[in-house]
Amino acid sequence: MTSNSGLFNRRFADNFIPQPANTSLEIGQIAPDFELPRVQGDPVRLSDYRGQKPVVLAFTRIFTERLFCPFCYPHIQELKARYGEIQALGAELLMVTSTDPVQSQQIQADLQLPYPLLVDPECKTFRLYGVGQALGAPLPAQFVVDREGKLRFKHVFSFAQPNADTDEVLRVLREGLQTGWDGTRRVAPIPFF
């Protein structure tokens, strides 16, 4: 049991009043940097990936280690199943949860997540990205950040589409890697015979 055990906890109270997603982040701007603890690993800083590889940020909505958002649980499982495709494109997936460290360890163990699960029980990073909140937890959102740390895709919660379609995220990654993110398609050199 933790201080956030059960549905009605401090995080629930802090995120109870609905606030729609109001991200002011624009495509092409540098993504806000953050550092969060990683379940079973060292803390992760987004800027550590700058100059290295693109990053898919997946903010997920989990109430407790046993109570998942009905929109987010299938999305978590789909990202788990398709993580290899993200890695094959040379990108990393960072999932951010608002559960506390003990709950997050249980989630990581139960779901056997292959990607880093970052812990933000105070929801500071959720607020930094303007993803909104309702009924006790932050809302889900997804962002793609290129190698240079610039936002190249954003999707925030709506009832019509709670989470970004994984095919769309993969398309953005593929096209960005082919065009260098600036729209200029990169062409492989023609071998000289």
Side-chain angles (χ1 to χ4, degrees):
M1 299 298 263
T2 70
S3 62
N4 278 336
S5 290
L7 180 58
F8 301 107
N9 55 42
R10 178 70 188 168
R11 189 201 53 210
F12 183 90
D14 290 345
N15 291 282
F16 181 73
I17 297 172
Q19 294 178 0
N22 61 354
T23 186
S24 61
L25 302 177
E26 298 292 332
I27 300 301
Q29 82 172 77
I30 297 292
D33 196 20
F34 61 84
E35 182 175 318
L36 290 171
R38 174 185 177 169
V39 173
Q40 300 172 345
D42 294 329
V44 172
R45 179 179 292 275
L46 179 61
S47 59
D48 288 346
Y49 291 93
R50 203 170 290 160
Q52 303 295 315
K53 60 175 64 178
V55 175
V56 176
L57 290 177
F59 291 88
T60 193
R61 183 174 166 90
I62 302 173
F63 296 101
T64 73
E65 67 273 23
R66 302 272 185 245
L67 184 58
F68 294 82
C69 164
F71 298 119
C72 293
Y73 183 78
H75 191 247
I76 292 167
Q77 294 293 11
E78 181 176 8
L79 290 173
K80 177 182 169 181
R82 300 190 72 185
Y83 181 55
E85 293 175 64
I86 293 169
Q87 287 184 305
L89 292 170
E92 181 59 274
L93 167 66
L94 301 176
M95 180 165 282
V96 183
T97 178
S98 64
T99 49
D100 72 25
V102 173
Q103 292 170 320
S104 299
Q105 286 178 358
Q106 189 65 51
I107 292 162
Q108 180 86 35
D110 289 351
L111 299 183
Q112 299 179 357
L113 301 176
Y115 43 76
L117 182 62
L118 309 183
V119 182
D120 185 17
E122 294 179 6
C123 304
K124 290 179 181 178
T125 308
F126 286 87
R127 289 187 182 93
L128 180 65
Y129 277 75
V131 303
Q133 65 185 39
L135 304 175
L139 296 172
Q142 295 78 40
F143 299 86
V144 173
V145 180
D146 72 13
R147 278 190 192 105
E148 304 310 313
K150 294 181 181 177
L151 284 173
R152 296 303 181 176
F153 173 84
K154 68 178 179 178
H155 175 88
V156 294
F157 175 87
S158 74
F159 283 107
Q161 190 176 13
N163 289 289
D165 182 71
T166 305
D167 286 330
E168 176 70 5
V169 170
L170 290 167
R171 183 192 65 74
V172 168
L173 283 171
R174 274 189 209 97
E175 288 181 5
L177 293 168
Q178 290 173 348
T179 65
W181 305 99
D182 62 3
T184 307
R185 189 159 298 276
R186 293 188 184 187
V187 179
I190 299 172
F192 182 74
F193 295 100

